[in-house]
Amino acid sequence: MNKSNSNGNFFHKVATFIVDKRHLFFLLYTFAVIFCIFSRNWVEVENDITTYLPDDTETRQGIVTMNDNFDTFATARVMVSNITYETAESISDTLADIEGVEMVMFDDTQEHYQNAAALFDVTFDGQNNDESSLNAMEEIRRELEGYDTSIDTLIGYDDKVMLQEEMTTILIIAVFIILLVLTLTSRSYAEVPVLLITFGVAALLNMGTNFIFGKISFISDSIAVVLQLALAIDYAIILCHRFSDEHETKNTRDACIDALAKSIPEISASSLTTISGLAALAFMKFSLGLDMSLVLIKSIAMSLLSVFTLMPGLLILFSPLIDRTKHKRLLPNITPLGKFAVSARRVVPVLFVVILVGAGYLANRCPYCYSFTDIRTSKMADRQVAYFKIKETFGTSNMVAMVVPSGNYEAEKAILEELDKYPQVKSTMGLSTMEAMDGYNLTDALTPRQFSELLDLDYEVAQVLYSAYAAEHNEYGEILSGLNEYRVPLFDLFIFLKDQMQSHNINLDGKDQEMMDDLFAQLETAQKQMQNDNYSRMLVFLNLPEEGEDTYAFLAQMRQIMGQYYDDDYYVVGNSTSSRDLSSSFASDNLMISILSALFVILVLLFTFQSAALPVLLIVVIQGSIWINFSFPTLMDQPLYFLGYLIVSAIQMGANIDYAIVISSHYQELKAYMPHKKAIIHALNASFPTVFTSGSIMAAAGLLIGNLSAQPVVSIMGTCLGRGTIISIILVLGVLPAFLVLGDSFIERTRFKLKRIEVNTTTATGSMRVHGHIRGYVSGMIDADFHGTIHGDLEATVSTNEGVEISEGDAEHE
């Protein structure tokens, strides 16, 4: 009992300090807000989610190797519809002459011209965000004005900027929805600005402190502020309503102190279920889960900090206006729903179990996808629209890169020749397949005689060049034995010749020099993309989709072929390998999140309700909402990006279970002094404003993201979150009450007791002064911490830290 008293005194002392030092906190928050306005620009955003793959996956290792060793030049697929082939040829020549364009691929095959539509594969001499590529892309658009054009390219395309613009729009619309919801559920119109200021500061604090993580994903950066609003707004509402209750009988300062002292443990306990669900994400092998977990948990922490230390001062500041703008309750009671739960208590659980079994089956057959390239969203960017138009006419090309140790041209040629025999391969590209001139490929090895004839050089000059090359590579035996049969790959010889000319060791005439300069420019481009001292890269274009068992099986076949020529240190990299690695980690991540999120939440519920059965009941209801949510993709035969399931299921379990907790808590309290059937009706009426407020805001936020974001990953997460929240609200209002009434005896039999404050039962009539927590009937029912005078009848349990204190006038006391 002493420990409990100490806890109460502690929270009261903390609340008193915060309220009395509110001006200091205003000053600190002013400095923090100014700091965060600048520090939010320090946050680095990662747009490539493959960087969050485990380090031991082939895709991750291959991507790191490619990024460290090769340049990947910008490309564009340009489709011009409703033109003749002759016009297409003219356009191809025009595009090829644009400065910054390295190459345009176009021919009369069906891959580039069909149904009066031409497809130009354009390669630029810079990367996606280089100035030369941006200028060339703008020039292409100008040249094609007036044509029916579709352009699929990443040049100038910035996910971060696009998402920021989308989220700004979403947030503006969400604010109007929140204003409407808060107005409906508030007790005073002036409460709304207090809530908005508190949340705005919390959101800015979270965005401004993300730099402590160094770099965060574009997903976390874009949706954190909206999810923070949806997840944490009810914390501020709890404190606001507490303040209104206390302010009925106390002055502003005392009401704020008592409200804060009581709200700190209540809000902290409520936040634990949300934090538990988010914490489960941190255990994913795919470290994007850890990224989102850290950012979102920090957003909850910032919301708690703002509610506990900023909002009390705002409540006092706005208190006069709050008093003047009070209004009657705008939300209706839902008594009919409570009566339905009572009358259908034997039918609803049976129907729910049947639906639960079906939903579980359908959810487990959900058509997951691990690449979002082909996902259509409600809103699509111009690039996405162009991609699908080109796909409908010319299909898509699944490109896979093979990265091998450099220097073995014969092995590279043999690998590509063998792969070209497979029907799954559309085409291949590598140095060994690139034609140099006169039928020779870049990696063909030529003798000095063949080289001199190829370039029309004097044989003696060719011999000198070969001698210098042999000496440079310490192959003196070739010089001593004669150079007639000495063979050197064309590519290596051209690179050596380029170095010698740049060092002025070899000089050519003007015409020959101009020809060699053009050749060297092409070789330099090829070298940047295909080879360096450590690795060579080859490209394979598959006739297979980006994901699927057939694709994954052929990737294994490719590795087997490469393994015949290389011992290790070789990689197959592409969207298909990324999908394969993501799918292999999905099963374990899914199991881990499902178990941990449920386990964490159950532990919180066990401590909250002190019953073994009730937490399981609540988990079953919310898990049912998750299964029903993810049965929709199966029913509609729509692919679901796997991240949507992993992240939304964790959030849904951690956040939406709060709705079930609110109803269950009210029911457990009310049934102590009224019949169960009546208690559930009153519990639903008391809980509805909280459930409506939090649930409608989260559902609106999710659906806005789903319908207004063109980024497939973000859009899918928003749609699933909004739909899941609506389903959770329906279940906790329509199914949970029947379970609570029907299973009440089982819940009670599994209850365990924790040490409580001793309770004295008091019966009195007349005028009395009571100091303590009253639970029972006082000229009607009351359950509150009470400090004041009662005139009437008292029949209730009264608990207090120092025993029951009753100052009676003419009261009769038992």
Side-chain angles (χ1 to χ4, degrees):
M1 189 169 72
N2 291 338
K3 183 177 180 180
S4 179
N5 293 342
S6 175
N7 287 342
N9 291 335
F10 171 75
F11 289 128
H12 196 272
K13 290 178 181 177
V14 170
T16 301
F17 174 80
I18 292 173
V19 170
D20 289 343
K21 301 296 182 182
R22 58 187 179 276
H23 297 295
L24 173 62
F25 281 105
F26 285 158
L27 181 63
L28 293 175
Y29 273 102
T30 300
F31 290 146
V33 166
I34 294 173
F35 172 80
C36 289
I37 290 174
F38 294 97
S39 64
R40 60 180 297 188
N41 297 317
W42 304 346
V43 181
E44 295 184 50
V45 178
E46 177 58 68
N47 290 323
D48 184 4
I49 64 172
T50 59
T51 59
Y52 295 96
L53 283 166
D55 291 337
D56 59 352
T57 59
E58 181 179 21
T59 301
R60 182 73 184 119
Q61 294 174 353
I63 287 175
V64 170
T65 301
M66 286 201 304
N67 290 340
D68 291 344
N69 292 276
F70 302 106
D71 289 339
T72 300
F73 292 131
T75 61
R77 301 182 81 204
V78 181
M79 184 178 77
V80 182
S81 303
N82 303 314
I83 59 172
T84 63
Y85 180 75
E86 290 72 21
T87 303
E89 283 187 310
S90 175
I91 291 175
S92 178
D93 294 337
T94 300
L95 298 182
D97 292 337
I98 293 176
E99 184 178 356
V101 172
E102 177 66 28
M103 178 176 61
V104 177
M105 293 181 62
F106 176 75
D107 53 39
D108 59 356
T109 65
Q110 287 192 345
E111 292 183 5
H112 290 100
Y113 186 82
Q114 61 174 306
N115 300 326
L119 179 64
F120 308 97
D121 289 315
V122 183
T123 302
F124 298 81
D125 59 13
Q127 299 188 31
N128 287 329
N129 293 318
D130 288 351
E131 192 69 24
S132 61
S133 300
L134 294 171
N135 292 337
M137 193 69 251
E138 286 301 314
E139 183 63 24
I140 289 175
R141 296 183 191 277
R142 282 193 292 268
E143 291 288 347
L144 296 178
E145 284 184 7
Y147 289 100
D148 183 2
T149 307
S150 301
I151 301 176
D152 177 21
T153 183
L154 291 176
I155 295 176
Y157 184 79
D158 191 329
D159 267 328
K160 178 182 177 182
V161 173
M162 183 190 75
L163 279 170
Q164 285 178 342
E165 293 174 352
E166 290 175 348
M167 289 304 152
T168 299
T169 302
I170 291 170
L171 193 58
I172 292 172
I173 298 174
V175 167
F176 283 105
I177 294 175
I178 291 166
L179 284 172
L180 175 61
V181 172
L182 293 180
T183 300
L184 289 173
T185 58
S186 67
R187 303 177 185 180
S188 169
Y189 295 116
E191 291 176 354
V192 176
V194 173
L195 297 173
L196 292 180
I197 293 172
T198 302
F199 169 76
V201 171
L204 188 57
L205 289 179
N206 190 54
M207 290 187 291
T209 54
N210 281 333
F211 72 90
I212 65 176
F213 300 127
K215 182 180 289 188
I216 63 174
S217 70
F218 71 92
I219 299 175
S220 299
D221 181 64
S222 61
I223 67 174
V225 63
V226 181
L227 286 184
Q228 181 182 5
L229 170 61
L231 292 170
I233 191 68
D234 51 335
Y235 305 153
I237 294 173
I238 290 173
L239 177 57
C240 192
H241 288 179
R242 276 282 189 182
F243 172 74
S244 297
D245 292 337
E246 298 293 335
H247 198 30
E248 292 290 335
T249 58
K250 300 171 187 173
N251 61 47
T252 302
R253 176 184 175 276
D254 291 343
C256 195
I257 291 173
D258 288 346
L260 181 58
K262 295 171 184 176
S263 296
I264 290 176
E266 180 182 355
I267 293 173
S268 299
S270 176
S271 69
L272 284 178
T273 55
T274 303
I275 292 174
S276 297
L278 296 173
L281 294 173
F283 293 89
M284 290 171 56
K285 290 181 180 179
F286 189 41
S287 59
L288 180 63
L290 176 62
D291 175 84
M292 292 198 67
S293 177
L294 292 175
V295 173
L296 291 177
I297 288 177
K298 182 167 65 67
S299 74
I300 299 298
M302 291 300 169
S303 296
L304 291 174
L305 182 66
S306 298
V307 169
F308 291 156
T309 59
L310 173 64
M311 190 173 174
L314 293 175
L315 287 172
I316 293 179
L317 184 64
F318 280 80
S319 179
L321 191 57
I322 291 174
D323 293 338
R324 290 197 301 269
T325 59
K326 287 184 178 180
H327 59 78
K328 65 179 182 179
R329 178 174 174 173
L330 300 178
L331 280 183
N333 285 327
I334 54 172
T335 301
L337 190 59
K339 292 181 178 179
F340 169 79
V342 172
S343 61
R345 64 187 181 278
R346 301 185 188 280
V347 178
V348 170
V350 176
L351 291 176
F352 175 72
V353 170
V354 173
I355 294 173
L356 187 66
V357 173
Y361 173 79
L362 292 173
N364 287 326
R365 296 178 63 85
C366 189
Y368 297 110
C369 63
Y370 305 92
S371 170
F372 52 81
T373 306
D374 291 324
I375 294 178
R376 293 179 182 267
T377 55
S378 298
K379 173 191 173 184
M380 290 195 292
D382 292 341
R383 183 186 67 83
Q384 292 170 289
V385 174
Y387 168 81
F388 285 110
K389 284 186 177 180
I390 294 173
K391 179 183 177 182
E392 290 169 0
T393 304
F394 292 98
T396 58
S397 182
N398 182 9
M399 185 186 76
V400 176
M402 297 186 297
V403 182
V404 298
S406 63
N408 192 343
Y409 294 131
E410 292 181 0
E412 294 176 26
K413 183 176 182 179
I415 290 172
L416 294 180
E417 287 179 348
E418 185 169 354
L419 286 174
D420 279 329
K421 299 175 183 178
Y422 285 85
Q424 294 94 332
V425 176
K426 182 186 299 184
S427 62
T428 60
M429 180 184 297
L431 291 178
S432 61
T433 62
M434 289 185 178
E435 184 176 350
M437 55 182 66
D438 292 346
Y440 286 110
N441 290 337
L442 278 176
T443 60
D444 289 345
L446 275 63
T447 64
R449 174 70 64 184
Q450 291 172 317
F451 185 74
S452 67
E453 293 174 353
L454 178 66
L455 295 184
D456 196 21
L457 290 174
D458 289 338
Y459 179 60
E460 290 76 12
V461 174
Q463 285 185 312
V464 171
L465 178 63
Y466 271 65
S467 297
Y469 180 90
E472 178 74 17
H473 293 80
N474 298 320
E475 296 177 346
Y476 297 103
E478 299 290 348
I479 300 176
L480 295 176
S481 62
L483 297 172
N484 291 338
E485 299 302 320
Y486 181 38
R487 294 179 177 273
V488 178
L490 267 177
F491 184 79
D492 294 347
L493 196 61
F494 282 142
I495 296 300
F496 177 74
L497 178 59
K498 173 187 173 184
D499 293 339
Q500 295 301 308
M501 292 176 65
Q502 289 178 342
S503 301
H504 302 291
N505 295 326
I506 296 178
N507 295 302
L508 298 177
D509 295 335
K511 184 177 180 181
D512 292 335
Q513 181 69 44
E514 183 178 347
M515 179 190 69
M516 294 306 296
D517 286 342
D518 291 340
L519 177 62
F520 291 155
Q522 298 177 30
L523 291 177
E524 183 178 3
T525 300
Q527 186 178 29
K528 287 180 179 179
Q529 297 184 82
M530 294 295 187
Q531 187 192 64
N532 66 7
D533 294 337
N534 299 314
Y535 292 96
S536 290
R537 178 165 64 173
M538 298 172 283
L539 303 180
V540 181
F541 298 88
L542 303 178
N543 289 315
L544 295 168
E546 286 189 353
E547 53 186 280
E549 293 304 321
D550 291 341
T551 303
Y552 302 153
F554 190 71
L555 294 177
Q557 180 67 33
M558 290 176 63
R559 282 191 57 81
Q560 184 178 349
I561 294 172
M562 296 167 69
Q564 297 174 6
Y565 301 93
Y566 299 96
D567 295 330
D568 53 17
D569 199 24
Y570 59 89
Y571 310 97
V572 179
V573 186
N575 287 344
S576 291
T577 60
S578 174
S579 297
R580 180 201 61 199
D581 291 340
L582 290 172
S583 65
S584 64
S585 67
F586 171 70
S588 59
D589 283 344
N590 184 22
L591 181 63
M592 179 75 70
I593 288 178
S594 298
I595 292 175
L596 289 180
S597 58
L599 179 61
F600 291 159
V601 171
I602 283 178
L603 290 176
V604 174
L605 296 180
L606 281 173
F607 178 81
T608 302
F609 291 109
Q610 302 172 39
S611 170
L614 186 54
V616 175
L617 177 61
L618 301 187
I619 290 291
V620 168
V621 172
I622 297 302
Q623 184 62 54
S625 72
I626 293 174
W627 283 344
I628 294 173
N629 185 17
F630 291 105
S631 65
F632 277 80
T634 305
L635 293 172
M636 296 185 294
D637 194 26
Q638 292 181 348
L640 173 68
Y641 192 62
F642 76 106
L643 271 181
Y645 182 88
L646 291 176
I647 294 173
V648 173
S649 61
I651 294 175
Q652 198 172 340
M653 176 61 74
N656 290 3
I657 202 166
D658 279 349
Y659 313 152
I661 292 173
V662 169
I663 294 174
S664 301
S665 298
H666 281 288
Y667 174 68
Q668 295 297 311
E669 293 175 1
L670 291 170
K671 74 175 185 176
Y673 44 84
M674 66 174 63
H676 297 174
K677 297 177 182 179
K678 188 175 180 181
I680 197 63
I681 295 173
H682 284 281
L684 284 175
N685 285 332
S687 306
F688 181 62
T690 302
V691 174
F692 175 81
T693 303
S694 182
S696 60
I697 290 175
M698 180 172 286
L703 294 178
L704 283 172
I705 292 173
N707 287 280
L708 296 181
S709 176
Q711 214 296 326
V713 179
V714 175
S715 177
I716 287 173
M717 287 176 54
T719 299
C720 293
L721 183 61
R723 184 177 60 214
T725 301
I726 293 173
I727 294 171
S728 296
I729 293 172
I730 293 173
L731 292 186
V732 297
L733 292 177
V735 175
L736 179 62
F739 268 115
L740 291 175
V741 175
L742 188 65
D744 186 78
S745 60
F746 182 61
I747 293 172
E748 291 301 322
R749 285 198 300 270
T750 60
R751 188 176 295 281
F752 52 87
K753 299 294 183 180
L754 295 178
K755 190 173 182 180
R756 296 177 177 272
I757 299 174
E758 294 182 1
V759 175
N760 298 319
T761 301
T762 302
T763 301
T765 301
S767 297
M768 63 211 78
R769 181 107 181 141
V770 180
H771 302 278
H773 181 85
I774 299 178
R775 184 174 186 175
Y777 290 92
V778 183
S779 294
M781 188 277 295
I782 186 171
D783 182 359
D785 290 336
F786 188 83
H787 298 276
T789 302
I790 294 175
H791 301 280
D793 299 327
L794 169 66
E795 183 180 356
T797 58
V798 182
S799 60
T800 181
N801 294 335
E802 301 176 356
V804 180
E805 297 180 12
I806 300 181
S807 301
E808 301 179 69
D810 57 351
E812 298 176 6
H813 177 224
E814 295 182 14

